[in-house]
Amino acid sequence: MARDEDDFIFQKLRQNIQRNFPREDDFNNNFNRHIENTYSNKDSLIILETERNIDKIKNFSQKIDDPELTPALKEMISILKEMADYSKSNKEGEKKLEKINEYHLPTAVKMLNSYIDFCNFPVKNANMEKTAQEIEDVIIKLNGALKKMLVEMNQNKLIDINSDIDVLKNMLDKDGY
């Protein structure tokens, strides 16, 4: 199973390299113009990594029964899915996801692993409980940051749509409508 997953990742890596570093003989001019004018990156390694992290967080949310942390994890999953979906067609979104995947999500996964260990430890002390609470707090804070990043991702889209609205209004006014 791990071998198949590695083959899949290497195949996607090859596709990313071919797309990002094409040789002149790889494409005809029409295809090059199409690639320059549109962006679709459904299977990028960054998006695949995000989806893997989403799966890990889902797994944690099934193992954790906490009135504050469980809903926070479900919210995190929802935000990350939206970010991944947005990034499939917007390069700036993918850049934000790359940053999130480099540090934020691996650290969150590590903390959630520790949280589960603390909760399953037969004897708890004040330090463990304090650390578990701090993990809950930082996950909630991370959700706030992810929400802000998602809003930033969509900000460019809003600017484009508002520009289109203004242009259309001006054209209609100019044409007397």
Side-chain angles (χ1 to χ4, degrees):
M1 176 100 177
R3 179 78 174 132
D4 290 338
E5 189 174 299
D6 289 344
D7 289 341
F8 178 75
I9 290 171
F10 285 125
Q11 178 186 5
K12 294 303 175 189
L13 180 60
R14 267 189 240 105
Q15 289 173 350
N16 282 344
I17 290 171
Q18 289 170 349
R19 182 178 55 245
N20 293 322
F21 304 102
R23 296 188 325 235
E24 284 184 37
D25 59 338
D26 286 345
F27 304 103
N28 63 36
N29 287 336
N30 289 336
F31 187 72
N32 280 337
R33 271 187 254 123
H34 174 71
I35 291 295
E36 289 170 4
N37 293 329
T38 61
Y39 181 80
S40 178
N41 206 7
K42 295 177 185 164
D43 295 325
S44 81
L45 292 176
I46 294 165
I47 293 170
L48 290 172
E49 183 65 24
T50 303
E51 290 170 348
R52 272 193 185 161
N53 282 317
I54 289 170
D55 289 341
K56 289 176 187 177
I57 295 166
K58 277 182 190 175
N59 188 19
F60 288 126
S61 73
Q62 293 169 353
K63 293 178 181 178
I64 295 172
D65 184 27
D66 181 89
E68 287 185 38
L69 189 55
T70 302
L73 292 176
K74 289 180 181 178
E75 182 180 33
M76 183 182 289
I77 291 165
S78 175
I79 295 167
L80 290 170
K81 282 181 179 179
E82 286 185 49
M83 292 175 118
D85 288 343
Y86 179 85
S87 298
K88 288 177 182 176
S89 60
N90 296 283
K91 190 148 187 91
E92 66 273 0
E94 190 176 356
K95 289 177 184 176
K96 287 241 188 248
L97 271 184
E98 184 174 20
K99 180 180 177 183
I100 292 166
N101 281 313
E102 283 179 9
Y103 181 74
H104 298 88
L105 293 181
T107 304
V109 166
K110 180 180 175 185
M111 287 187 302
L112 290 169
N113 246 335
S114 296
Y115 183 89
I116 289 173
D117 289 345
F118 294 152
C119 290
N120 291 331
F121 201 71
V123 178
K124 294 176 179 67
N125 64 25
N127 283 339
M128 289 176 142
E129 289 178 13
K130 180 182 176 207
T131 301
Q133 183 61 48
E134 287 175 348
I135 291 171
E136 289 177 22
D137 294 344
V138 79
I139 292 297
I140 292 168
K141 186 172 183 171
L142 176 58
N143 277 352
L146 291 174
K147 285 179 192 175
K148 285 180 183 178
M149 290 179 208
L150 182 59
V151 168
E152 288 172 8
M153 285 176 158
N154 284 296
Q155 195 63 35
N156 288 339
K157 190 175 184 180
L158 289 172
I159 291 169
D160 289 344
I161 290 172
N162 286 330
S163 295
D164 290 343
I165 290 169
D166 289 342
V167 168
L168 184 57
K169 281 181 181 178
N170 288 334
M171 288 175 63
L172 291 170
D173 288 345
K174 183 179 176 184
D175 292 339
Y177 299 110

